[in-house]
Amino acid sequence: MQVLDPLTMPLDGRRLIEASAGTGKTWTLTFLFLRLLLQAGLAVEQILVLTFTKAATAELRERIRLRILEALSQLSGQTESPDPLLAALLQSLPKEKSTLLLKTALASIDEASVYTIHGFCQRILKEHAFEAGCVFDLELLETEDALHMQIMADFWRNRFYPLEYGESALVAATWESPTRLLNMLRRALRAQIEAQLPHLNAADMAKDRDKMLKALHRVQQAWAKDGAQLTELLMNDHCLSRSQKNYSPAQVAIILEAMDELSTSAHFPWMLADQLELLTETAIRDRLLKKKACTEWGPRSFFHTFEEFWQLRVKFIGQWKIGILQEAYTVLKQERQQRKARQRLLSYDDLLTRLDAALQHKERGQTLARTLAERFKAVLIDEFQDTDPVQYRIFSQICAQASHPFFMVGDPKQAIYSFRGGDIFTYMQARRQTPAPRQYTMGVNYRSTPAMVAAVNMLFENNPHAFVYSADIPFFPVQPTRTILGQIRVEPTSLS
C-alpha cells in the first residue's frame, strides 16, 4: 500500500484511503473535493460526500466552505502563510478560471451533496419514488424499538402462554422476558442475515427427541435397579471430591432429590437441575481424587448410561432454543413489514433496503443506477470502516463504471460500530476488490507527540497479528510532524 500524495492521486475510479487517527483525514477529504472542483470541473452538487452522523455532515460542509475560502484567499495573495500543497495545486491551474470556479462553488455551497448515508437514501427514494417503487406519503420512524417490542410481546403471549409448565419454565429460564429474546435477535434482524441462525431439520429433531426419551427410560430403569447402591456411593465414596462445587453434601442432596423426581416422572425433562451433570461418566472421572487408592476406581454402568441421556438432552435443548429463535425472527421480520405497511411507516434501515432493492430491480435498477451516476459524478465516503453490506452494495452499483471516481476513506482499526450494523468484513471485501495500486495509506500523524507516535509504532510493529485479520488489516507505521528528540526503549516481554 502506497503513501498517499493528495496532490497527485488520480481522480478516477475506485480508490481506498486508510487514514489512521490524526493523519489529516478531513483535510484530505476537503482537498480532494477541491481538486474535483478545479481539475475535474465538477459542480459542488455533483460531488457526493457521505458520512455517518448529522454532526459530521455539518462539520464537513463547513470545512469544505472554509477550504474554498482559503483557496480564494491564496489566489488573491491575501494569505500570510499559504498551505504549500494548496499553493502547488493552484499554481498548476489557470488563475482566472480557478477563481471563477471557486466563487461559483462558494455561492452554491448550500447545494453541496453532503449527507448521511440514510439521508442520501431518503432523498433519492423521495425524488425517484416511481423508479424505486415507493409511495410518496410515508412517515419516517426515528426508531423501530417500540414496534419491535410490541411484536415480540405478542409473539411471547401467543407462542409461550399455551405451553405446558415444564417448557414454559425453560422459556422463562432461558430468555426471562420478551425484551431479552428481542435483544438476541437484533443483530440478525438489522443485518437481514438469516444465515446467522443455523438451519434445523424437523425430522432430525424428532429423531433426536425419540433417542433422548429412550435414553431417559434406560436411566430410569438403571436407577430403579441400583439407586440405593448409587446413593451410598455418592454420599460416602472416599474417592469423590467433596469440594463445594463437586460432591459436597449439599450438592449430593440436590442430585438425589432431582434423580428421585426424574426416575419416576412421566413428563418431558424440560427443566433439570444443573447438578445432575455430575452423574455423567466424564464428570465423575474429572472429579476423582488423585489418591493411589482411587486410581483403580472403575466405571459404573449407570454413569455411562446417564451420560448418553445427558448429551442427547443437551443437543435437543440446544436445537429447541435455535428453533424458538428462528420462529421469533421470522415473525418479527414478517410482522414489522406488515405493520409498517398498514401504518404507512418507514424506518432508517428501510431507507437502505428499499434503495438497494430498487437498484437491483431487473427492469428499473440499471436505469436508476445510471441516473444517479450521471447526477453524482464523484462519490466520497467518510468513515468507510463502518459501512455495512447493504450500503456498500448501493454505492458499488452507482459507481459501477470503472472510471467513476469512488473514494473510500476510513480506518479499519477504528471499526467500533458493529452494534449499529457496521461490518468490518464489508471493509475487507472492499479492500480486496480494490486493486493494490489504488490503495493508499496516510503516513504522517499531525495530532500526537513524537514520543506517542514512536511508542505506538513500536508496539504494533512487534505484534503483527494485533488486528487478527493480518492480511486485510495490516499496521502501517506513521511519522510524527516533529523530530523525535529521544529514544524509547520497550522491553520485549511487555509486547507479549
Side-chain angles (χ1 to χ4, degrees):
M1 182 173 282
Q2 59 187 304
V3 175
L4 174 71
D5 182 347
L7 184 62
T8 60
M9 186 191 85
L11 295 177
D12 66 321
R14 173 190 294 256
R15 309 275 168 180
L16 180 68
I17 302 171
E18 291 195 0
S20 297
T23 55
K25 179 190 66 175
T26 305
W27 185 97
T28 300
L29 273 170
T30 59
F31 189 81
L32 292 174
F33 189 98
L34 207 60
R35 287 186 61 201
L36 289 166
L37 288 175
L38 297 174
Q39 293 179 312
L42 301 184
V44 290
E45 64 271 18
Q46 293 179 310
I47 306 170
L48 179 60
V49 183
L50 298 159
T51 189
F52 280 81
T53 67
K54 291 180 180 179
T57 61
E59 180 188 358
L60 264 177
R61 188 184 294 270
E62 178 62 10
R63 294 284 288 272
I64 290 169
R65 188 184 70 84
L66 292 174
R67 178 51 65 90
I68 294 172
L69 284 172
E70 182 185 6
L72 283 169
S73 179
Q74 285 198 203
L75 281 171
S76 63
Q78 298 176 7
T79 304
E80 294 182 2
S81 54
D83 181 330
L85 270 180
L86 181 55
L89 172 64
L90 297 175
Q91 287 169 9
S92 68
L93 300 168
K95 182 176 179 180
E96 290 185 5
K97 182 179 178 181
S98 297
T99 302
L100 178 61
L101 288 173
L102 290 171
K103 286 183 176 180
T104 302
L106 187 63
S108 56
I109 192 64
D110 290 339
E111 299 174 20
S113 301
V114 183
Y115 308 116
T116 64
I117 289 181
H118 290 94
F120 167 76
C121 292
Q122 183 179 12
R123 178 178 291 265
I124 297 306
L125 290 174
K126 185 176 181 179
E127 294 177 355
H128 299 271
F130 177 76
E131 296 96 321
C134 291
V135 296
F136 290 89
D137 57 342
L138 293 176
E139 178 186 349
L140 184 63
L141 279 174
E142 288 291 330
T143 173
E144 290 188 67
D145 289 349
L147 178 63
H148 290 172
M149 193 64 249
Q150 184 184 65
I151 295 169
M152 195 48 55
D154 290 343
F155 173 81
W156 189 275
R157 285 191 297 271
N158 296 332
R159 179 64 175 82
F160 299 146
Y161 281 14
L163 297 179
E164 62 171 289
Y165 172 77
E167 189 173 3
S168 64
L170 182 57
V171 167
T174 303
W175 294 293
E176 295 181 359
S177 67
T179 301
R180 186 167 178 182
L181 178 57
L182 176 61
N183 288 338
M184 293 194 70
L185 296 171
R186 285 191 189 279
R187 181 171 177 81
L189 187 68
R190 180 175 54 243
Q192 304 285 312
I193 300 175
E194 287 84 350
Q196 290 187 354
L197 299 173
H199 176 71
L200 292 179
N201 184 290
D204 291 341
M205 281 189 67
K207 291 179 182 178
D208 289 339
R209 178 189 174 104
D210 289 342
K211 288 180 183 178
M212 181 195 66
L213 292 176
K214 289 177 182 178
L216 173 59
H217 183 63
R218 292 193 292 272
V219 167
Q220 291 173 327
Q221 289 180 319
W223 188 262
K225 178 182 177 183
D226 300 321
Q229 179 185 357
L230 293 166
T231 297
E232 174 65 21
L233 182 149
L234 291 169
M235 294 179 65
N236 300 313
D237 193 289
H238 67 280
C239 285
L240 295 179
S241 169
R242 300 294 172 179
S243 65
Q244 184 177 356
K245 292 185 178 181
N246 293 324
Y247 301 92
S248 65
Q251 292 279 84
V252 170
I254 294 172
I255 292 170
L256 294 177
E257 181 180 355
M259 270 310 304
D260 285 343
E261 181 179 347
L262 181 65
S263 64
T264 58
S265 175
H267 298 293
F268 191 87
W270 290 107
M271 292 288 289
L272 294 180
D274 293 338
Q275 288 85 350
L276 283 178
E277 187 175 3
L278 292 171
L279 293 180
T280 63
E281 184 175 359
T282 299
I284 290 277
R285 289 192 177 280
D286 288 346
R287 289 162 178 79
L288 289 176
L289 297 177
K290 308 302 181 186
K291 294 181 179 179
K292 185 175 181 181
C294 298
T295 56
E296 300 300 325
W297 199 92
R300 308 299 195 270
S301 62
F302 172 82
F303 300 126
H304 178 75
T305 300
F306 190 87
E307 178 147 9
E308 288 182 336
F309 158 70
W310 188 262
Q311 295 300 333
L312 287 168
R313 180 184 175 275
V314 167
K315 179 181 179 182
F316 178 79
I317 295 299
Q319 293 174 331
W320 170 84
K321 290 178 181 178
I322 292 171
I324 294 294
L325 290 174
Q326 287 179 332
E327 281 187 61
Y329 175 83
T330 300
V331 168
L332 186 56
K333 187 178 178 183
Q334 292 176 350
E335 276 292 311
R336 73 169 184 166
Q337 296 304 328
Q338 292 172 4
R339 296 188 189 194
K340 283 188 292 186
R342 288 197 298 269
Q343 300 173 45
R344 306 183 78 79
L345 300 172
L346 202 65
S347 72
Y348 281 105
D349 285 342
D350 292 331
L351 297 173
L352 298 173
T353 55
R354 290 282 185 94
L355 183 53
D356 180 42
L359 287 166
Q360 297 190 59
H361 192 276
K362 290 183 179 179
E363 298 174 1
R364 300 188 298 265
Q366 288 188 354
T367 301
L368 179 58
R370 281 196 301 269
T371 300
L372 297 178
E374 290 170 4
R375 176 177 173 181
F376 302 107
K377 303 292 187 181
V379 176
L380 289 76
I381 302 182
D382 187 20
E383 304 292 358
F384 186 76
Q385 73 275 359
D386 297 316
T387 302
D388 67 28
V390 176
Q391 295 164 359
Y392 179 56
R393 194 160 54 239
I394 287 171
F395 297 108
S396 294
Q397 287 277 95
I398 295 172
C399 303
Q401 291 292 326
S403 60
H404 197 288
F406 180 24
F407 305 158
M408 301 164 283
V409 184
D411 181 8
K413 301 184 293 300
Q414 298 183 62
I416 62 173
Y417 289 107
S418 63
F419 68 89
R420 71 180 188 196
D423 185 354
I424 189 61
F425 297 105
T426 301
Y427 182 93
M428 290 161 59
Q429 177 189 359
R431 192 175 191 273
R432 292 169 186 169
Q433 292 176 348
T434 304
R438 294 172 175 263
Q439 297 180 19
Y440 305 86
T441 185
M442 297 177 65
V444 179
N445 185 297
Y446 299 93
R447 184 184 303 165
S448 302
T449 64
M452 175 60 75
V453 171
V456 171
N457 284 343
M458 195 173 295
L459 178 66
F460 286 103
E461 286 182 305
N462 280 276
N463 187 359
H465 303 295
F467 302 105
V468 183
Y469 302 101
S470 306
D472 294 294
I473 311 179
F475 175 78
F476 295 102
V478 296
Q479 299 298 318
T481 53
R482 299 182 300 278
T483 303
I484 298 178
L485 300 178
Q487 296 295 322
I488 294 178
R489 181 180 180 184
V490 180
E491 296 296 335
T493 54
S494 68
L495 299 172
S496 61

